[in-house]
Amino acid sequence: MLKKFFMNALSSFVGAWVAILLLGAVVAMVVIGIVGSMATGSETVSVKSRSVLELKLEGSIQERESADAPDPMQLMQGDFEQPQTLDAIIEAVKMAAENRNIAALYLDCGAVSASPATLNAIREALLEFKKSGKKIYAYGDALFTSSYFVASVADRIYLNPAGEISMNGLGSTSLYFKNLLDKLGVTFQVVKVGTFKSAVEPYIMDEMSGPARAQLDTMFNGMWGFIREKISELRKGVTPALIDSLVSIRNISFAPPALAVESGLVDSLLYGREIDDRLAQLVGVEKEKLNKVSPSVLLGQTPWASAYTSKNQVAVLYACGEIADGNDREINYEKLVPVIVKLADDENIKGMVMRVNSPGGSVFGSDQIGEALDYFMKKGKPLAVSMGDYAASGGYWISCCADKIFADPMTVTGSIGIFGLIPNFAGTMSKIGVNPQTVSTNPSANFPTGMKPMDERQLAVMQQYVERGYDRFISRVAKGRKMSKERVRAIAEGRVWDGMNARRIGLVDSLGGLDKAVDWTAAKAGISDKYEVAAYPQVEPNFWTIMAKQGGFSGSLIASGLKNNFEAFAEVYVRRILARERLQARMPEISVTFD
């Protein structure tokens, strides 16, 4: 009851705020969006001979375009613009390699926000592009580890003479809330299975536990070793040891740009205004006739993954976000399960690749999706999983029974464990002068109530509940990966693994991206020579996608109204925590950062 009270109150508050602010802005936004769409739609950008594909490595990169309404937190931050998508970038690079009018590729490097697996997928696509014999040039006013890792495939790398290479290694910062919760009078009782299942720690501890730190240390060192090795393979004279020396001893982030040239990380120093001269020379045209095209121009000519009428389809099903019950912005099993069933029953669908980019979430939702995938496989159709940045906990639950699992070397996966996080607001009620009184026919009528801590018997009941869920998880992994339950338990315990180690211990089958998974599925279905790809769930353009493509809401009334409203921000965050299901198969909140 208390959870519903807080949920309804917070929902009403935030809903009222957004409704009031949107009311005055929507009409103007719609008109601007429609007019803008008409204007851009009437302009055709041609791909002339000797054109250059320009990729901007800046901002955030998500899996695919979304038609969902913006996250309230985005509105509060005044940051709602259409981000770049991984599928569009990779497909544009593939098309550029085959297009005779594209003579070269240019990487405009900025501050790009993406996980290591996403960046490696782009990098792998660029390596394939180079097999066409076409050159890649890269430039940055500043080169961060994230953008430099991708740019290291380039034939020439240029850095602004007043710029820097900001390279500090890998890391992640986790916030621990126990002291704050103590001040608010909120306590959490935890039931879990898994020594490494550390997602509960921020709510019950002041600092990271030894096992949690150990698993991250192992994973980050593995990823950093992979990054150093891949850079050194393509930069003459640059060794992994030299990179560590530049980062840890010479502090290259604060060194003169000349050190970047001296060490071989970049080829020369160049001001931004000069890069077009180099590109023009590269493709053999005058600077004034240099034609740079964006990925959207190429994709506008041949839309990717839209063969919905083909009789030989390989379906690519996207499962991105937290697994939630009824949340459209996440993986909503109520919407995803019917899509899976429909694909299973569709005779035109010969096989499916599920692209998973999820840290997990609701155990119930994970179970429902897993059962629908079992139904798909019973139809005799091959199912492959392609793991993105994350496929952990519930994300691994829905992946583990596929015929073949592909992961990026820097995918975060595993986290096979379950936990329950039960809040107790008795201290909060006392602080604000509220004294709950309960009348019930049975001791457990309001169990768990949230108004008082659970006793030992109730905790034991909850622990058994969690352990049953964990045993189901272990059994599903054992069945899907053809392992003994004992073997699964040995590598489970809630521990997260990078893709390289996950392959070594048998959690994934092969290292590779989405294309590799699609090719395997087509071959398994016996349609290698005559298949087409269609992406699901289908994304239909709506108001939000139109507005994002027209420049978003930055600086708008909505942004200015919510940006400084800390109370609204805090209440939305609390609402998210309270909205989660009681039983979770979710990895800890790990955001891998390069700098």
Side-chain angles (χ1 to χ4, degrees):
M1 292 296 293
L2 181 64
K3 176 179 175 179
K4 290 184 178 179
F5 168 80
F6 276 107
M7 289 286 292
N8 292 335
L10 296 179
S11 178
S12 298
F13 179 85
V14 176
W17 252 102
V18 174
I20 292 171
L21 293 170
L22 280 176
L23 185 61
V26 163
V27 175
M29 296 288 187
V30 170
V31 172
I32 294 171
I34 293 175
V35 171
S37 295
M38 292 174 63
T40 56
S42 63
E43 181 183 357
T44 302
V45 180
S46 62
V47 182
K48 304 173 185 176
S49 177
R50 301 185 184 181
S51 292
V52 175
L53 175 64
E54 180 180 31
L55 290 185
K56 291 184 178 294
L57 291 179
E58 63 181 10
S60 63
I61 300 174
Q62 64 183 29
E63 276 288 339
R64 69 183 299 218
E65 183 179 67
S66 171
D68 294 334
D71 189 306
M73 291 188 179
Q74 285 181 298
L75 291 178
M76 291 171 200
Q77 295 165 356
D79 180 22
F80 177 53
E81 296 183 1
Q82 192 74 10
Q84 296 188 82
T85 60
L86 180 62
D87 60 352
I89 291 172
I90 290 179
E91 186 61 20
V93 172
K94 286 172 57 180
M95 293 176 66
E98 299 168 359
N99 192 315
R100 289 179 297 179
N101 288 330
I102 299 294
L105 190 149
Y106 167 53
L107 296 173
D108 185 1
C109 301
V112 61
S113 175
S115 294
T118 289
L119 295 170
N120 190 51
I122 297 172
R123 192 176 187 275
E124 288 294 321
L126 294 173
L127 287 172
E128 285 296 314
F129 173 88
K130 292 183 70 174
K131 292 179 181 179
S132 67
K134 301 175 183 180
K135 301 292 186 180
I136 299 176
Y137 278 14
Y139 167 83
D141 288 331
L143 291 169
F144 302 90
T145 310
S146 52
S147 56
Y148 183 81
F149 174 57
V150 178
S152 63
V153 306
D155 298 280
R156 300 286 292 179
I157 303 176
Y158 300 102
L159 175 66
N160 193 299
E164 63 183 28
I165 287 190
S166 181
M167 190 178 290
N168 298 310
L170 292 181
S172 176
T173 299
S174 302
L175 301 180
Y176 281 65
F177 301 104
K178 185 179 182 300
N179 285 336
L180 171 62
L181 294 172
D182 286 346
K183 293 176 181 178
L184 297 175
V186 180
T187 59
F188 282 92
Q189 289 180 288
V190 172
V191 284
K192 69 167 186 168
V193 182
T195 302
F196 296 92
K197 199 66 178 176
S198 56
V200 300
E201 289 187 359
Y203 307 101
I204 60 172
M205 298 174 63
D206 294 327
E207 59 184 22
M208 191 176 291
S209 68
R213 187 175 295 279
Q215 70 172 336
L216 293 181
D217 184 64
T218 299
M219 187 173 70
F220 287 161
N221 276 297
M223 289 180 173
W224 181 239
F226 178 84
I227 290 168
R228 288 178 305 160
E229 179 183 346
K230 292 303 177 182
I231 291 173
S232 66
E233 287 176 356
L234 296 175
R235 297 301 300 175
K236 185 177 180 181
V238 176
T239 64
L242 174 61
I243 293 173
D244 269 339
S245 175
L246 291 170
V247 170
S248 303
I249 299 175
R250 304 189 71 177
N251 297 110
I252 192 168
S253 297
F254 302 96
L259 178 60
V261 179
E262 174 191 324
S263 63
L265 291 178
V266 304
D267 294 290
S268 59
L269 302 180
L270 183 77
Y271 283 102
R273 63 176 179 78
E274 300 175 276
I275 188 64
D276 282 356
D277 292 315
R278 301 299 175 97
L279 291 174
Q281 292 172 15
L282 174 65
V283 299
V285 299
E286 296 177 4
K287 180 181 177 181
E288 293 73 20
K289 294 183 179 180
L290 179 65
N291 186 43
K292 291 186 285 189
V293 298
S294 67
S296 61
V297 171
L298 289 181
L299 293 175
Q301 297 179 343
T302 309
W304 179 77
S306 58
Y308 297 108
T309 60
S310 171
K311 296 186 181 299
N312 280 315
Q313 289 184 48
V314 172
V316 175
L317 178 72
Y318 283 87
C320 303
E322 186 172 331
I323 300 173
D325 301 338
N327 188 337
D328 289 342
R329 267 186 290 273
E330 306 291 350
I331 302 174
N332 180 358
Y333 83 88
E334 293 176 339
K335 290 190 175 182
L336 192 61
V337 166
V339 174
I340 297 171
V341 172
K342 185 176 180 180
L343 295 176
D345 294 336
D346 190 338
E347 295 183 356
N348 292 335
I349 305 297
K350 308 304 182 184
M352 182 168 74
V353 176
M354 183 168 65
R355 175 68 173 181
V356 179
N357 198 336
S358 172
S362 163
V363 170
F364 184 80
S366 301
D367 183 79
Q368 302 309 297
I369 295 169
E371 190 280 330
L373 293 169
D374 293 344
Y375 174 75
F376 181 93
M377 296 178 70
K378 287 177 182 177
K379 292 287 186 174
K381 302 178 181 183
L383 171 67
V385 162
S386 170
M387 294 179 169
D389 299 323
Y390 307 97
S393 206
Y396 192 76
W397 183 310
I398 65 177
S399 302
C400 63
C401 286
D403 295 304
K404 189 94 167 177
I405 300 177
F406 296 84
D408 187 90
M410 293 192 287
T411 293
V412 178
T413 188
S415 192
I416 301 168
I418 292 178
F419 68 89
L421 197 63
I422 300 94
N424 171 30
F425 296 98
T428 307
M429 297 294 101
S430 176
K431 286 178 181 291
I432 62 176
V434 176
N435 185 22
Q437 297 291 297
T438 302
V439 177
S440 64
T441 58
N442 299 86
S444 298
N446 294 313
F447 161 60
T449 174
M451 297 292 185
K452 61 180 181 180
M454 293 182 291
D455 58 33
E456 290 186 6
R457 184 192 68 82
Q458 292 171 333
L459 273 172
V461 169
M462 290 298 294
Q463 185 64 40
Q464 292 172 7
Y465 178 48
V466 169
E467 288 177 0
R468 285 198 304 273
Y470 183 62
D471 189 66
R472 289 187 65 202
F473 199 167
I474 293 292
S475 298
R476 182 170 180 82
V477 174
K479 176 185 176 183
R481 302 308 300 160
K482 297 178 176 57
M483 295 180 181
S484 68
K485 293 177 69 172
E486 290 72 24
R487 170 60 179 158
V488 176
R489 289 183 187 277
I491 58 177
E493 290 288 333
R495 181 163 187 165
V496 292
W497 304 89
D498 60 64
M500 295 170 286
N501 277 309
R503 183 190 181 192
R504 177 180 59 81
I505 62 178
L507 291 179
V508 304
D509 296 299
S510 182
L511 299 179
L514 180 58
D515 283 350
K516 190 174 181 181
V518 170
D519 290 342
W520 179 89
T521 303
K524 187 73 172 177
I527 57 171
S528 293
D529 299 330
K530 51 184 178 180
Y531 75 91
E532 295 183 274
V533 177
Y536 298 89
Q538 295 186 46
V539 177
E540 299 294 336
N542 63 12
F543 168 75
W544 300 110
T545 56
I546 291 174
M547 289 313 307
K549 289 177 179 178
Q550 297 309 314
F553 289 107
S554 297
S556 70
L557 175 63
I558 297 172
S560 61
L562 290 178
K563 192 171 185 179
N564 298 316
N565 194 322
F566 178 78
E567 291 183 4
F569 178 87
E571 291 188 10
V572 171
Y573 184 77
V574 171
R575 183 173 182 269
R576 280 185 168 181
I577 295 175
L578 295 177
R580 288 177 179 167
E581 288 301 307
R582 188 175 299 126
L583 199 61
Q584 293 278 306
R586 193 185 192 288
M587 64 174 277
E589 305 238 1
I590 302 171
S591 178
V592 186
T593 56
F594 281 94
D595 297 292

